[in-house]
C-alpha cells in the first residue's frame, strides 16, 4: 500500500488512487445487543454457541448501517473516482461470524472481505487493510488506531436508521477531529479569552492536521467526480467555535484545498438539533458532551483524541 507516515503530525497520508477503505466492526454495522448480552453474562464460548444456533436469523441494522449502505452505493455510478471498499473486522471467530455474513448477504451489502480475530483486537490489521476509517464498538481498539494515525471512532448507541434521502451526509467537528487539538490545549490551559486571542492572531496560520483530514480529502476526491449541484455526498463542519475563531478554520480548509459544503459555528450551543436539521448519516466529535447531544438525533462516532480525552484517562 502506498501509504507513508507523516512524522510531524503522527498521521497517515493516503494514496488517492486506492479506494476509500472503511473497516467496520460487526457491532457498528448490525444490532448485536442481544447476542452481546450473552457474551457479557456467559462468556465467549456461550456467545459463539448462541451465534451458531441463530445463524439463519438475520441481524437488524445497527447505528452505522445506513452510512455503509450509502458509501457502497457510490460504486454503482461507475464514474471516474477511486470507489469505496468496506471490510468487516470482527472479534468473532469465522465460525460464529457466519451469522454476520448471512446478514450482510440478506441486506444486499457488497462486503466481500473480512477479518475475524476470535476475541483478539483487530487493530494490528489496520495498516494491511489500508484503512481510511475504522468504526468500532470497542473503545480500546479505536484508541490504538487513533494513536497509530488512523481516522477512528467508537460508534455510540442511539439514533439510527432514520428514513432519509439517498445523499450521503457526513458531519465533522473541528478541533481534535479535522484539525489537531493545538487550539483546544490553549483553551483548556488558559481559557476562552486566550484561545480567542490566539486564534485571531494566528488566523493566517493553518491549523495542523487532525486524524480525519485524510478521510475528508478522500471524500472530496469522490465528490469531485460529480457536479456540485447534484452530488451524492454532502459534508458539514459543526463546531463549537464562533467569531473571531472561525476565520482560522475557514482559511485552513482553503489552504488544504478542501471544500466543506456547510459550516456551522455554534458558539457552544448543543449540536444535536443542528445535526438533525442537516440530516447527518454520522457525526464525528472528540467531546463526550457533544456526542451525547448528537446521538439523540443522528448516528454518532466518538473520537477519543486530544487533550479533552487525555484528561479523562489520567
Amino acid at each position: 500500500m502506498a501509504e507513508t507516515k507523516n512524522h510531524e503530525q503522527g498521521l497517515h497520508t493516503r494514496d488517492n488512487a486506492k479506494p476509500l477503505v472503511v473497516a467496520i466492526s460487526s457491532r457498528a454495522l448490525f444490532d448485536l445487543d442481544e447476542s452481546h448480552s450473552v457474551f457479557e453474562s456467559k462468556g465467549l464460548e456461550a456467545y459463539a454457541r448462541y451465534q451458531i444456533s441463530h445463524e439463519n436469523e438475520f441481524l437488524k441494522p445497527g447505528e452505522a448501517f445506513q452510512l455503509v449502505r450509502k458509501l457502497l452505493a457510490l460504486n454503482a455510478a461507475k464514474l471516474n473516482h477511486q470507489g469505496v471498499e468496506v471490510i468487516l473486522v470482527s472479534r468473532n471467530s469465522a465460525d460464529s461470524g457466519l451469522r454476520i455474513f448471512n446478514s450482510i448477504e440478506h441486506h444486499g451489502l457488497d462486503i466481500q472481505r473480512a477479518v475475524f480475530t476470535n476475541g483478539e483486537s483487530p487493530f494490528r490489521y489496520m495498516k494491511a487493510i489500508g484503512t481510511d476509517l475504522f468504526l468500532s464498538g470497542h473503545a480500546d481498539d479505536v484508541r490504538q488506531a487513533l494513536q497509530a494515525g488512523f481516522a477512528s471512532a467508537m460508534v455510540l448507541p442511539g439514533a439510527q436508521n432514520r428514513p432519509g434521502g439517498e445523499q450521503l451526509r457526513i458531519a465533522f467537528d473541528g478541533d481534535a477531529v479535522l484539525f489537531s487539538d493545538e487550539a483546544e490545549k490553549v483553551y483548556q490551559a488558559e481559557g476562552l479569552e486566550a484561545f480567542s486571542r490566539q486564534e485571531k492572531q494566528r488566523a493566517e496560520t493553518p491549523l495542523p492536521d487532525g486524524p480525519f483530514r485524510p478521510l475528508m480529502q478522500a471524500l472530496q476526491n469522490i465528490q469531485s467526480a460529480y457536479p456540485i449541484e447534484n452530488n451524492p455526498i454532502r459534508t458539514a463542519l459543526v463546531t463549537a467555535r464562533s467569531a473571531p475563531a472561525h476565520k482560522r478554520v475557514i482559511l485552513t480548509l482553503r489552504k488544504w484545498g478542501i471544500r466543506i459544503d456547510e459550516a456551522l459555528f455554534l458558539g457552544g450551543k448543543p449540536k444535536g438539533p443542528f445535526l438533525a436539521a442537516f440530516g447527518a448519516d454520522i457525526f464525528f466529535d472528540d467531546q463526550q458532551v457533544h456526542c451525547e447531544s448528537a446521538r439523540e438525533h443522528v448516528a454518532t462516532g466518538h473520537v477519543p483524541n486530544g487533550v479533552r480525552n487525555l484528561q479523562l484517562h489520567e
Side-chain angles (χ1 to χ4, degrees):
M1 186 189 77
E3 185 176 81
T4 60
K5 189 77 175 268
N6 182 326
H7 292 283
E8 182 180 354
Q9 303 300 337
L11 303 173
H12 289 280
T13 56
R14 72 184 310 279
D15 174 5
N16 288 329
K18 81 174 184 67
L20 189 165
V21 177
V22 177
I24 186 166
S25 72
S26 51
R27 284 181 64 194
L29 184 58
F30 293 115
D31 181 354
L32 283 166
D33 286 351
E34 184 175 326
S35 49
H36 188 66
S37 68
V38 174
F39 170 76
E40 290 289 322
S41 62
K42 300 181 179 179
L44 183 60
E45 187 175 341
Y47 168 84
R49 289 197 304 269
Y50 179 88
Q51 291 293 69
I52 291 170
S53 66
H54 290 78
E55 65 185 25
N56 292 317
E57 298 176 16
F58 304 125
L59 294 163
K60 296 178 180 179
E63 279 80 0
F65 181 90
Q66 293 294 357
L67 170 71
V68 167
R69 183 184 66 80
K70 291 183 180 182
L71 281 167
L72 290 170
L74 295 169
N75 295 326
K78 306 296 184 184
L79 293 182
N80 186 28
H81 61 69
Q82 71 264 39
V84 178
E85 182 176 13
V86 176
I87 298 175
L88 180 74
V89 289
S90 173
R91 287 179 176 235
N92 283 271
S93 65
D95 195 26
S96 62
L98 184 58
R99 185 185 185 191
I100 298 164
F101 256 120
N102 287 344
S103 299
I104 286 171
E105 183 178 2
H106 169 73
H107 289 288
L109 299 177
D110 185 19
I111 298 176
Q112 301 176 13
R113 299 186 188 184
V115 172
F116 293 104
T117 61
N118 195 25
E120 294 292 321
S121 170
F123 159 72
R124 63 184 181 273
Y125 295 107
M126 290 298 106
K127 185 175 180 180
I129 288 170
T131 305
D132 290 304
L133 174 63
F134 175 45
L135 298 175
S136 177
H138 294 274
D140 288 343
D141 292 349
V142 169
R143 290 191 190 96
Q144 287 184 80
L146 278 167
Q147 289 167 6
F150 297 99
S152 308
M154 182 173 175
V155 179
L156 303 177
Q160 57 178 304
N161 305 315
R162 296 190 173 215
E166 292 303 303
Q167 187 179 53
L168 172 62
R169 292 185 167 228
I170 302 181
F172 302 86
D173 179 39
D175 297 303
V177 179
L178 281 182
F179 315 116
S180 80
D181 67 339
E182 172 192 281
E184 182 65 29
K185 287 177 179 176
V186 174
Y187 177 78
Q188 291 295 309
E190 303 176 46
L192 179 60
E193 186 176 337
F195 164 81
S196 299
R197 183 171 59 250
Q198 173 185 275
E199 293 306 281
K200 187 174 181 178
Q201 292 171 348
R202 304 193 67 189
E204 304 287 339
T205 303
L207 286 155
D209 297 4
F212 278 67
R213 180 191 169 175
L215 173 63
M216 184 70 244
Q217 186 66 64
L219 288 169
Q220 179 155 307
N221 291 345
I222 296 176
Q223 281 183 301
S224 65
Y226 300 84
I228 294 176
E229 300 80 9
N230 187 26
N231 207 288
I233 303 174
R234 193 164 184 84
T235 57
L237 172 69
V238 182
T239 174
R241 284 178 179 244
S242 57
H246 70 296
K247 186 175 181 180
R248 191 178 185 193
V249 167
I250 293 170
L251 294 179
T252 296
L253 293 171
R254 185 181 297 171
K255 179 72 173 180
W256 289 354
I258 287 178
R259 185 195 82 240
I260 289 279
D261 294 301
E262 301 189 24
L264 284 66
F265 297 95
L266 300 182
K269 291 183 72 67
K271 296 182 179 182
F274 292 91
L275 290 160
F278 173 65
D281 290 298
I282 197 165
F283 170 59
F284 298 108
D285 201 300
D286 67 303
Q287 294 189 36
Q288 286 280 11
V289 63
H290 296 312
C291 289
E292 290 300 317
S293 173
R295 73 176 184 166
E296 295 179 11
H297 303 273
V298 301
T300 300
H302 177 229
V303 181
N305 181 52
V307 63
R308 288 275 187 148
N309 290 284
L310 181 63
Q311 291 170 350
L312 291 175
H313 289 90
E314 286 181 341

